[in-house]
Amino acid sequence: QRISIEPIFSLFVRNTHSTMAPPPKTWVFIVGHCEEWEDEERSIIGDRGLYYAFLRHLPDSQIVYIKDKECTRSNCQEKFRKLLEKSQGGDLLLFYYGGHGLEKGLVTINGKWLYKELVNLVEKHYRGEKVWFLLDCCYSGSLSNHLSDSSRISYLSLASQVAHWAASDYYWSMVECMVTALL
């Protein structure tokens, strides 16, 4: 079953259908660690498709896209920290990860990026108000266990899998809906 998320994206993507003004700035961080996907699929419904869809709405200076062999833990963390440090009050951050997940974090080339490390980076370096995590991987629901209700930041976590499930061999479909909504 496909669910349209156009109403969600109209909150922060500039388009003629939106009745709400976008936040001062929207920052986008996309990680695509899924080399086994076919190039054509990734360009249409995968992380590449999402990247190109956002480029239609935001300047490339507000988007970071890390893919495949660039997906080392240290590279992801460093580029994410640098993006977070550009933020200002009122900003919105959208973090997308498409790839493989573990119960405690995201898979990188040389290990794992723990959910608690990801949230700690946001809490320490992000000056904006809202963060949306969109995780398209196994165990993506586990991230919500690390989000604090008492944070100054409002979090939204959209997971493609509940915390205790691993995906089957079916390609992730959350990003397909996002790309469709942005085009």
Side-chain angles (χ1 to χ4, degrees), residues 73-91:
R73 182 174 168 266
S74 61
N75 189 42
C76 289
Q77 288 178 328
E78 180 64 17
K79 288 188 176 180
F80 189 48
R81 183 190 55 76
K82 286 181 179 179
L83 181 72
L84 294 173
E85 290 175 347
K86 294 179 183 179
S87 65
Q88 298 176 5
D91 288 357

Side-chain angles (χ1 to χ4, degrees), residues 26-28 51 54-65 83 86:
T26 299
W27 302 96
V28 177
Y51 170 69
F54 272 113
L55 279 176
R56 294 180 61 189
H57 302 283
L58 298 171
D60 63 351
S61 61
Q62 291 173 226
I63 304 169
V64 173
Y65 176 38
L83 181 72
K86 294 179 183 179

Side-chain angles (χ1 to χ4, degrees), residues 119 123 144-151 153 155:
V119 174
E123 290 288 333
S144 62
N145 297 330
H146 300 277
L147 303 177
S148 171
D149 291 336
S150 61
S151 174
I153 299 170
Y155 289 101

Side-chain angles (χ1 to χ4, degrees), residues 55-150:
L55 279 176
R56 294 180 61 189
H57 302 283
L58 298 171
D60 63 351
S61 61
Q62 291 173 226
I63 304 169
V64 173
Y65 176 38
I66 299 174
K67 61 188 176 301
D68 304 330
K69 295 190 183 340
E70 301 170 354
C71 292
T72 64
R73 182 174 168 266
S74 61
N75 189 42
C76 289
Q77 288 178 328
E78 180 64 17
K79 288 188 176 180
F80 189 48
R81 183 190 55 76
K82 286 181 179 179
L83 181 72
L84 294 173
E85 290 175 347
K86 294 179 183 179
S87 65
Q88 298 176 5
D91 288 357
L92 170 69
L93 168 69
L94 178 113
F95 178 99
Y96 171 81
Y97 174 87
H100 301 286
L102 301 168
E103 200 166 351
K104 295 186 179 189
L106 308 171
V107 174
T108 62
I109 286 179
N110 57 345
K112 57 188 166 193
W113 189 3
L114 298 176
Y115 291 134
K116 67 180 179 180
E117 295 171 336
L118 178 62
V119 174
N120 286 341
L121 273 172
V122 172
E123 290 288 333
K124 184 175 181 181
H125 299 284
Y126 185 62
R127 294 183 284 267
E129 295 177 4
K130 296 180 176 89
V131 176
W132 292 12
F133 287 109
L134 307 166
L135 304 181
D136 222 353
C137 60
C138 293
Y139 300 105
S140 53
S142 297
L143 171 70
S144 62
N145 297 330
H146 300 277
L147 303 177
S148 171
D149 291 336
S150 61

